[in-house]
Amino acid sequence: MKQISEFLRQLDANNNREWFLAHKEEFREHQQRFFGFALELVGRIREFDPSIGDLDIKQCTYRIYRDTRFSQDKTPYKIQMGVFVAPMGKKSGYSGYYLQVGAYDKGYPGGCMLAVGDYQCEPAVLKILREDIDLDEGKEFGETLRQAQGFTLDYDQALKRVPRGFDPQAPWADYLRLKNFCLTKEPGLEYMHAPALLDRAVADFKRCKPFLDYINRAIAYSRHQ
């Protein structure tokens, strides 16, 4: 992964079509190396989470090209490579396990990251999750967080106030403000470049499975109402 990060740093410094075309063969070599790792990761995750099923590389990875139509940043290429392992693939709408190798230690885009869960949940899913949390006073949800040692809840975009209908003084009230039911970890380049990356990532993701099950249960229920 170190060579991939080094290439991505060069791309960040030369983020234009001319440079990329001149280094396209080099990019393809790094991309194939990352694809190989991604498929190994899918196989290892399937061992403890059979719900993901069989995924091909297109179902769990992303193009290097940025969609700049609605962005002020018009640089054409991403400076990270990511793999998202979710039941039935990245377009299924289910939550999953995300690993990102970047040019830098931290930050998005371009940082190294592990993430598990759902970013910007649909309103129907949010409603179910909040009701589930409130119903058992945050016990099950809180336990999933305790098991996911080393990860933190993403409070970006969280509501400033607890939604109407819930007790704002409840000990679990902060969970009800969430809009992103997602766990994140920024382990840095040293983690990503270590020979034991695959084993480390699998162990980290395995600890987050109860959290992911909790989120995907709500997503599945929202589709059968």
Side-chain angles (χ1 to χ4, degrees), residues 97-112:
Y97 310 89
Y98 179 69
L99 180 145
Q100 175 177 295
V101 177
Y104 306 106
D105 272 313
K106 298 180 179 181
Y108 188 88
C112 296

Side-chain angles (χ1 to χ4, degrees), residues 24-93:
K24 195 162 187 178
E25 287 305 314
E26 184 182 355
F27 161 71
R28 285 176 174 165
E29 290 176 6
H30 295 307
Q31 183 186 52
Q32 289 304 311
R33 186 178 296 113
F34 184 76
F35 283 175
F37 172 84
L39 290 176
E40 284 189 85
L41 182 65
V42 169
R44 291 285 299 277
I45 289 176
R46 191 186 300 112
E47 291 176 4
F48 68 82
D49 189 348
S51 73
I52 66 168
D54 293 322
L55 303 177
D56 62 35
I57 199 65
K58 290 184 179 180
Q59 290 176 298
C60 62
T61 57
Y62 301 88
R63 288 159 52 88
I64 194 71
Y65 307 100
R66 294 183 64 248
D67 183 352
T68 62
R69 291 173 298 171
F70 308 107
S71 174
Q72 292 183 347
D73 179 3
K74 298 302 181 182
T75 51
Y77 306 106
K78 299 172 185 175
I79 55 171
Q80 74 274 355
M81 293 187 185
V83 49
F84 182 60
V85 185
M88 295 180 285
K90 63 187 180 185
K91 295 183 179 180
S92 68

Side-chain angles (χ1 to χ4, degrees), residues 1 4 88 194 202 220:
M1 292 297 174
I4 292 175
M88 295 180 285
V202 169

